Amino acid sequence: MAFARTCSVALAGVEGVVVEVQADLEPGVAAFTLVGLPDKSLTESRDRVRAAVVNSGAAWPSKKLTVGLSPASVPKSGSGFDLAVAAAVLGAAERIDPRVLADIVMIGELGLDGRVRPVRGILPAVLAAADAGYEQVVVPESAVPEASLVPGVSVLGVRSLRQLIAVLTDEPVPDEEPVPGDIRPDPFLAGLALPGSGLGTGAAGGHTPDLSDVAGQHMARAALEVAAAGRHHVFFKGPPGAGKTMLAERLPGLLPELSRTESLEVTAVHSVAGLLPAGHPLVDRAPYCAPHHSATMASLVGGGNGLPRPGAASLAHHGVLFLDEAAEFHSSVLDALRQPLESGHVVIARAAGILRMPARFLMVLAANPCPCGRHGRGDDICECRPSSIKRYRARLSGPLMDRVDLRVTVEPVARAELLRMHTGTEPTAVVADRVRLARERAARRYEGLPWRTNSEVPGHELRTRWHVQPGALTKAEEDLDRGLLTARGLDRVLRVAWTLADLGGRDRPSANDVNWALELRTGVRRGALLEGIGR
């Protein structure tokens, strides 16, 4: 009996499990059996591996071959096991010394000609290998920059199975000509994004829209700054053409650069989805995801056949999820966001397993006042029936809106403001600097605690550990007594008030901060002034 083993990684969402790939050769009728809960694409690896081994100049063993994937109880999917299966087979056939293979993790798909092709999820797979104590990883050459993001792991990039055999047997490494696709986004990764994801990470160095392009809209601009500083969800309501989408597109530019830990989390999600841009293995800017209003629940929160894939909520992790024409989304799709808005992650249960994917995003909703968008303009040109308007607005359910901290009416821009839009309008860089300082103040306040922004702090902690100025909560308490605020709503008003204090450089919120937070949440004027906020 000849036996060899090596390792690969099975991914479940963005979490990985190291899988031992075992190959056993016994006398008998030539056959290739693959066991260990493989899916369809992994089962087909038998034909890919056989062709790749033969076309790489190695002999295919004419014996009974059994390849086992352990632990056998964990479902395995994808073509990323090809390289490990081929190496284990060659080890069992003594083409490669089995002792060399035992402590190496191999990830990659094999072409029929022996080429090693990239797969999704290289970063989370290498992270899982590092957590399990492995120090050597073999990946496709084009995935080396992504795999090298994990510290303490030696990464070997190969273009073909021939090169891997040569490296492991101390033979001269053959030169492999790069295929044209190696310098562009890999064609085998094309079309892997979920429909309607509308993703843009900004990592490719494209043009970032500037806040100075926005004419007027002082209240909406201030709300955008507050949202960025405290990571508060925001709802823009107004007629078509008022600038709701324009404002939302400029929010990612106000957010600070991602920390190293946040970058790795975001990159892992995008890697699993196959959305990492070529030449940019690390996402260091806040992602921006804007799915179309026809998006399904699976595309928004995650789903698909078998084990679910990341949805738009996870793709916007540590970034912005913009739902334009929010009232046109199906109400059940919108309500599916209620749980991740509170917890910061999505838990999806399927017959194949239960997955937990990160989804801590800043949500921006935008909607018209009615189906035609002209209700309330005062010119009596809205022809929508009252029942249609009521049904249209009811799609944004109360429980969902209760989780939105800032609600701003975006009015049409006056002609005078539009014509003088380039005079005295703050650019993104100036506002982003205030946002950065406000976040630093909050981070110092929560030093040693599990929170970094005001929106993350539980209401009980905020009420008992950090106190506002005396008498600052008078109007908020009145609204709570009259039923205009829920208990959750009061907590969110407090969080916004702390963000306003941070933007203004104050040690704790004043009555004006709380009143303006109430105004931003309810839309009712409270006589608050825009203290500490630029215009």
Side-chain angles (χ1 to χ4, degrees):
M1 181 182 75
F3 176 83
R5 65 183 179 86
T6 188
C7 296
S8 191
V9 177
L11 286 178
V14 294
E15 298 177 354
V17 177
V18 175
V19 173
E20 188 175 274
V21 181
Q22 306 168 342
D24 175 70
L25 282 175
E26 295 180 349
V29 178
F32 187 172
T33 304
L34 183 65
V35 297
L37 285 185
D39 72 345
K40 180 67 174 176
S41 62
L42 182 50
T43 301
E44 292 174 348
S45 70
R46 294 177 299 184
D47 300 315
R48 291 194 301 272
V49 169
R50 183 187 290 109
V53 168
V54 172
N55 290 327
S56 297
W60 184 260
S62 297
K63 295 182 179 181
K64 181 182 178 182
L65 171 63
T66 303
V67 174
L69 307 175
S70 179
S73 59
V74 175
K76 292 90 178 174
S77 62
S79 57
F81 292 87
D82 289 2
L83 196 59
V85 171
V89 171
L90 292 173
E94 298 183 349
R95 177 66 177 87
I96 302 174
D97 187 348
R99 293 172 296 180
V100 176
L101 300 173
D103 296 322
I104 302 178
V105 174
M106 300 187 183
I107 307 162
E109 176 186 325
L110 285 175
L112 300 184
D113 60 350
R115 292 270 180 179
V116 181
R117 309 300 299 178
V119 293
R120 296 193 199 99
I122 291 290
L123 177 59
V126 177
L127 284 169
D131 290 343
Y134 290 86
E135 298 178 353
Q136 290 183 303
V137 176
V138 178
V139 298
E141 186 181 55
S142 59
V144 168
E146 181 182 346
S148 299
L149 295 172
V150 182
V153 176
S154 175
V155 179
L156 171 64
V158 293
R159 291 181 182 173
S160 68
L161 182 59
R162 282 182 290 272
Q163 287 188 340
L164 178 61
I165 295 172
V167 170
L168 297 179
T169 56
D170 291 328
E171 299 174 358
V173 179
D175 246 353
E176 296 284 1
E177 291 294 327
V179 295
D182 287 344
I183 60 175
R184 299 190 300 269
D186 193 273
F188 285 91
L189 295 182
L192 298 184
L194 290 173
S197 62
L199 182 70
T201 64
H207 170 68
T208 302
D210 198 276
L211 199 58
S212 61
D213 300 334
V214 180
Q217 306 298 0
H218 303 299
M219 179 62 77
R221 286 169 57 96
L224 213 61
E225 183 175 341
V226 174
R231 202 156 69 179
H232 303 287
H233 308 304
V234 58
F235 171 51
F236 290 132
K237 182 179 74 172
K244 303 185 295 295
T245 302
M246 193 177 189
L247 287 161
E249 289 174 343
R250 282 146 181 81
L251 180 55
L254 301 181
L255 300 177
E257 287 193 4
L258 302 178
S259 66
R260 179 70 177 184
T261 301
E262 292 171 341
S263 292
L264 289 176
E265 291 177 5
V266 174
T267 303
V269 175
H270 291 203
S271 177
V272 169
L275 291 173
L276 285 182
H280 296 271
L282 183 67
V283 179
D284 56 4
R285 293 295 302 170
Y288 174 79
C289 196
H292 190 261
H293 62 258
S294 62
T296 62
M297 187 181 298
S299 69
L300 198 61
V301 299
N305 295 327
L307 289 176
R309 293 162 57 185
S314 294
L315 294 173
H317 183 53
H318 289 311
V320 177
L321 177 65
F322 176 45
L323 303 182
D324 198 6
E325 304 294 344
E328 297 292 349
F329 281 80
H330 196 281
S331 57
S332 62
V333 173
L334 291 176
D335 285 338
L337 294 174
R338 285 155 51 180
Q339 183 257 346
L341 285 174
E342 290 289 329
S343 63
H345 59 263
V346 174
V347 178
I348 303 175
R350 295 289 186 271
I354 298 177
L355 290 187
R356 182 181 184 273
M357 290 183 282
R360 189 172 296 282
F361 53 85
L362 197 168
M363 183 178 68
V364 180
L365 301 173
N368 297 325
C370 68
C372 76
R374 296 174 295 203
H375 180 75
R377 291 179 56 179
D379 46 14
D380 296 325
I381 58 176
C382 176
E383 298 179 355
C384 299
R385 292 179 296 179
S387 58
S388 299
I389 297 175
K390 183 178 180 180
R391 188 163 52 249
Y392 179 81
R393 295 178 177 176
R395 292 179 184 173
L396 300 176
S397 67
L400 175 68
M401 294 304 297
D402 199 39
R403 291 166 167 82
V404 178
D405 301 341
L406 313 174
R407 307 173 191 180
V408 181
T409 299
V410 182
E411 300 291 351
V413 181
R415 182 181 62 180
E417 289 181 321
L418 189 62
L419 294 178
R420 67 165 186 265
M421 61 175 295
H422 295 293
T423 60
T425 305
E426 287 185 324
T428 293
V430 174
V431 181
D433 191 55
R434 286 201 300 269
V435 169
R436 177 183 57 82
L437 293 175
R439 286 214 178 188
E440 289 175 356
R441 291 188 186 98
R444 287 194 296 269
R445 184 165 60 249
Y446 306 131
E447 187 175 1
L449 299 171
W451 316 299
R452 290 296 174 268
T453 59
N454 294 316
S455 64
E456 302 172 40
V457 184
H460 173 74
E461 297 286 344
L462 206 59
R463 292 191 302 270
T464 57
R465 297 184 64 165
W466 297 280
H467 301 286
V468 300
Q469 292 181 9
L473 288 176
T474 301
K475 290 188 177 180
E477 292 169 350
E478 292 174 358
D479 284 0
L480 186 64
D481 290 339
R482 291 199 297 261
L484 300 178
L485 270 184
T486 62
R488 181 194 287 124
L490 179 61
D491 290 341
R492 291 185 175 274
V493 166
L494 272 176
R495 293 167 183 164
V496 174
W498 274 102
T499 299
L500 292 169
D502 289 335
L503 285 167
R506 294 177 287 279
D507 292 334
R508 51 180 177 165
S510 63
N512 188 76
D513 292 324
V514 175
N515 291 342
W516 194 40
L518 280 169
E519 184 175 326
L520 286 171
R521 181 169 181 84
T522 63
V524 179
R525 292 290 299 175
R526 310 294 174 126
L529 302 175
L530 298 178
E531 294 180 351
I533 304 291
R535 291 189 172 221

